[in-house]
Amino acid sequence: MSRHIRWQAVLALLGLLLIVALLSYAAYTYTTEDVPARGGVFVEGVVGNPQYINPVLCQHNEVDRDLCALVYNGLLKWDEQGDLQPDLAERWEASPASDVFTFTLRSDARWHDGLRVTADDVLFTVELMQDPDLPVLPDLATLWRAVIAQKLDDRTLLFQLSEPYAPFPDYTTIRWFGVLPKHYWQRYRARDLTQAQLNTQPIGSGPFRVIELDSRHVRLEPNPRAFASPPFLDALEFRFFPDYPSILAAAEVGEVQGVRRILPEYISQAESLPNLQLFTSPLPGYTLILFNLNAANAPFLADPQVRQALAHGIDRQRLLDLVIPGVGVLADSPIPPGAWAHDPTIPRYASDLEAADELLAEAGWRDLNGDGVRERQGVDLEFILLSDDAPHSILLNQAIAADLARIGVRAIPQPISFTGLVNDFLLPRNFTAAILNWEVLGDPDPYPLWHSSQATPEGQNYSGWSNREADQAMEQARIISDREQRRQFYARFQQVFAAEVPAILLYYPLYTYAASTAIQDMEVGRLNEPAERFTTFARWYTLTRKVTLTERRTLQLDNQPR
């Protein structure tokens, strides 16, 4: 009897274990969770309308630049660190003298119509860039007219430069050189390019194709060849607005899911919208107070000691924290952090009123009459400080003037339109000091802005700064391809710049992007330019579907690289 009972107990235990196993299996098999599903359109609000979705004409218009970066390719592209990576070209080589560059195209590069991208397309685009009838940026035209391009075979090209220029590969990125399909554009002369219908019906090779375009919107759909796996979203749409308040109003009611850029004066408003998430990224460039070292009405600016004192007199961190929060991060070098040539050891000018007072006193500037403004030999230490008339620029200008007043310097704020600032003051060198924004894309070469040879009326060295040691460092860094050697020359340039203070660096600008909280797995990393905000587009999604854990595991295995 007891033996029979023991067998019943054993069988009951086995049955219980079987039930537990079955329940565990069912729970594992049938418990569900949400995963991304395909479908949906991401609608972004932008200010303005496209004019030329054409990479040789798009440099003047922000909407054009964004669309060209999505529809076309360059030979190379920048990664998040600002380093060059393959794009249409799978590899490239530089000669030891940095005057000959060879590019090999990818064998799988195709236009949206399915035809191969060949060396003939690249040569055709070079010839357009060199044509004097093409309305391209003057500096860009000058660079390409100094290049002899040669086709070695259908996939290989050689560029011979008239002189060594190590940064040349950066000018083959989409920002400066997007390749056009010869078989569509060869029927147009350069002077007629702006009238071509293809400017609004583009055929490119990039990650997106233009499907619809009218006065209200443009719809782009992913190019299947450009993605390892299809994006979750079906399309990307730009909707055109007259101004940013209109976009924010549309975002508040859900008419758009993205805002191309949140300007500093609208950051607080955007933060208050519960359905928006903000992303911030530094942009390559810097905002500075540029001095005209040859200004006849302010000869004191030619004295480095005075410029050092002015730098110590401005509390830049307070300005960024309290006056224009969210606009930028503190800048100390004309080669931004993150760039391979940035020197973190350069001297920095912290707010130091005592140091400013000592420097100005040593230079002979004292407030002898007690009016609050220093003078020397009957001349007051004062100047006009120009800026553009954006709200945050006006606040910045006024705050800087208040800071300088503490050390006995009278800076007179004068905001004007950006166009007036450039055309009436900057280009003719008709200014004393101005708050300006410089863009520094790709290679950190500072030559165009700071070499003494560029202080001519045609150059961009608007300050007129001339320093032989800095010139030599910039010259040497341009003609050698070895990055470590270039880094050393640029380090020397930055040390000299910090000691001379031809300009007071204020901040590195921040780019703020807004998107609906309904957009999942969205990420905006370090950007070289705003168009790169769509780099991770393939992962974005709004729709979900339920799957079992077994299906989830299968999906994960299917998505693993092989």
Side-chain angles (χ1 to χ4, degrees), residues 257-487:
Q257 288 77 52
V259 183
R260 182 189 185 274
R261 185 168 194 171
I262 304 296
L263 297 178
E265 53 266 35
Y266 300 116
I267 288 178
S268 295
Q269 180 183 349
E271 288 176 335
S272 70
L273 300 180
N275 61 328
L276 281 187
Q277 53 186 330
L278 302 189
F279 301 87
T280 301
S281 170
L283 286 175
Y286 48 89
T287 296
L288 75 171
I289 301 174
L290 185 69
F291 298 121
N292 183 351
L293 307 187
N294 298 313
N297 61 341
F300 50 83
L301 289 178
D303 184 350
Q305 205 167 22
V306 171
R307 302 195 299 266
Q308 292 169 1
L310 297 178
H312 279 304
I314 301 173
D315 190 342
R316 298 174 298 151
Q317 192 61 62
R318 184 186 65 83
L319 299 182
L320 295 173
D321 291 341
L322 301 178
V323 179
I324 50 169
V327 172
V329 294
L330 200 64
D332 292 298
S333 168
I335 298 180
W340 56 264
H342 177 75
D343 180 6
T345 70
I346 57 172
R348 289 165 167 75
Y349 288 87
S351 174
D352 190 334
L353 301 187
E354 290 185 6
D357 178 72
E358 291 177 6
L359 287 165
L360 290 174
E362 289 175 9
W365 295 95
R366 294 179 173 82
D367 181 15
L368 299 177
N369 58 13
D371 66 351
V373 179
R374 296 172 185 264
E375 66 272 348
R376 189 181 69 179
Q377 299 177 354
V379 176
D380 284 346
L381 187 55
E382 67 175 18
F383 57 88
I384 293 174
L385 181 58
L386 301 173
S387 71
D388 64 52
D389 55 2
H392 75 280
S393 298
I394 294 174
L395 289 174
L396 179 63
N397 199 340
Q398 293 171 343
I400 289 172
D403 272 4
L404 293 178
R406 297 181 306 167
I407 60 170
V409 178
R410 180 185 290 137
I412 304 168
Q414 184 176 322
I416 54 177
S417 71
F418 175 76
T419 302
L421 175 60
V422 173
N423 293 335
D424 298 334
F425 295 93
L426 193 62
L427 293 178
R429 275 65 170 176
N430 184 29
F431 73 99
T432 305
I435 300 172
L436 300 169
N437 306 300
W438 286 155
E439 185 179 64
V440 183
L441 277 175
D443 193 277
D445 176 29
Y447 187 102
L449 298 176
W450 300 111
H451 193 274
S452 62
S453 67
Q454 303 305 300
T456 62
E458 296 78 24
Q460 298 180 64
N461 181 355
Y462 303 109
S463 72
W465 184 47
S466 178
N467 180 281
R468 188 58 195 146
E469 189 174 0
D471 279 356
Q472 289 175 338
M474 288 184 279
E475 291 163 7
Q476 290 300 311
R478 278 192 139 200
I479 63 175
I480 54 177
S481 57
D482 182 84
R483 176 171 285 192
E484 187 52 41
Q485 293 183 48
R486 296 187 73 206
R487 190 197 313 274

Side-chain angles (χ1 to χ4, degrees), residues 534-546:
F534 298 109
T535 299
T536 61
F537 178 86
R539 300 202 300 265
W540 303 359
Y541 68 93
T542 57
L543 305 178
T544 60
R545 62 187 179 92
K546 291 188 179 299

Side-chain angles (χ1 to χ4, degrees), residues 98-372:
S98 297
D99 61 347
V100 178
F101 296 84
T102 306
F103 292 82
T104 302
L105 300 179
R106 296 190 344 246
S107 60
D108 63 344
R110 294 287 189 275
W111 297 109
H112 291 160
D113 62 8
L115 295 181
R116 282 184 55 208
V117 178
T118 70
D120 289 327
D121 297 308
V122 180
L123 283 180
F124 171 76
T125 307
V126 171
E127 290 167 0
L128 274 179
M129 297 292 287
Q130 294 173 335
D131 196 306
D133 291 329
L134 185 73
V136 70
L137 295 174
D139 291 342
L140 201 54
T142 299
L143 177 127
W144 281 104
R145 287 170 194 160
V147 175
I148 298 174
Q150 179 183 352
K151 171 185 171 181
L152 302 184
D153 58 45
D154 275 354
R155 292 177 52 207
T156 312
L157 298 109
L158 182 147
F159 296 118
Q160 172 73 58
L161 279 56
S162 59
E163 59 184 27
Y165 186 45
F168 173 75
D170 282 84
Y171 288 90
T172 67
T173 59
I174 183 62
R175 177 59 189 272
W176 309 117
F177 184 79
V179 180
L180 284 169
K182 179 180 178 180
H183 57 290
Y184 284 100
W185 286 95
Q186 62 186 342
R187 65 180 181 269
Y188 295 99
R189 295 176 299 179
R191 68 172 67 113
D192 302 324
L193 238 60
T194 58
Q195 307 303 317
Q197 194 171 8
L198 283 171
N199 288 319
T200 53
Q201 298 175 356
I203 303 295
S205 58
F208 289 87
R209 302 172 296 173
V210 172
I211 305 301
E212 297 174 2
L213 174 63
D214 58 31
S215 61
R216 295 186 62 250
H217 84 295
V218 59
R219 179 185 174 95
L220 303 104
E221 293 183 358
N223 172 14
R225 296 187 186 90
F227 296 93
S229 59
F232 292 108
L233 294 170
D234 291 331
L236 166 65
E237 181 179 312
F238 285 3
R239 194 163 296 174
F240 311 132
F241 290 85
D243 51 45
Y244 282 100
S246 301
I247 302 178
L248 286 172
E252 186 171 11
V253 297
E255 290 182 6
V256 299
Q257 288 77 52
V259 183
R260 182 189 185 274
R261 185 168 194 171
I262 304 296
L263 297 178
E265 53 266 35
Y266 300 116
I267 288 178
S268 295
Q269 180 183 349
E271 288 176 335
S272 70
L273 300 180
N275 61 328
L276 281 187
Q277 53 186 330
L278 302 189
F279 301 87
T280 301
S281 170
L283 286 175
Y286 48 89
T287 296
L288 75 171
I289 301 174
L290 185 69
F291 298 121
N292 183 351
L293 307 187
N294 298 313
N297 61 341
F300 50 83
L301 289 178
D303 184 350
Q305 205 167 22
V306 171
R307 302 195 299 266
Q308 292 169 1
L310 297 178
H312 279 304
I314 301 173
D315 190 342
R316 298 174 298 151
Q317 192 61 62
R318 184 186 65 83
L319 299 182
L320 295 173
D321 291 341
L322 301 178
V323 179
I324 50 169
V327 172
V329 294
L330 200 64
D332 292 298
S333 168
I335 298 180
W340 56 264
H342 177 75
D343 180 6
T345 70
I346 57 172
R348 289 165 167 75
Y349 288 87
S351 174
D352 190 334
L353 301 187
E354 290 185 6
D357 178 72
E358 291 177 6
L359 287 165
L360 290 174
E362 289 175 9
W365 295 95
R366 294 179 173 82
D367 181 15
L368 299 177
N369 58 13
D371 66 351

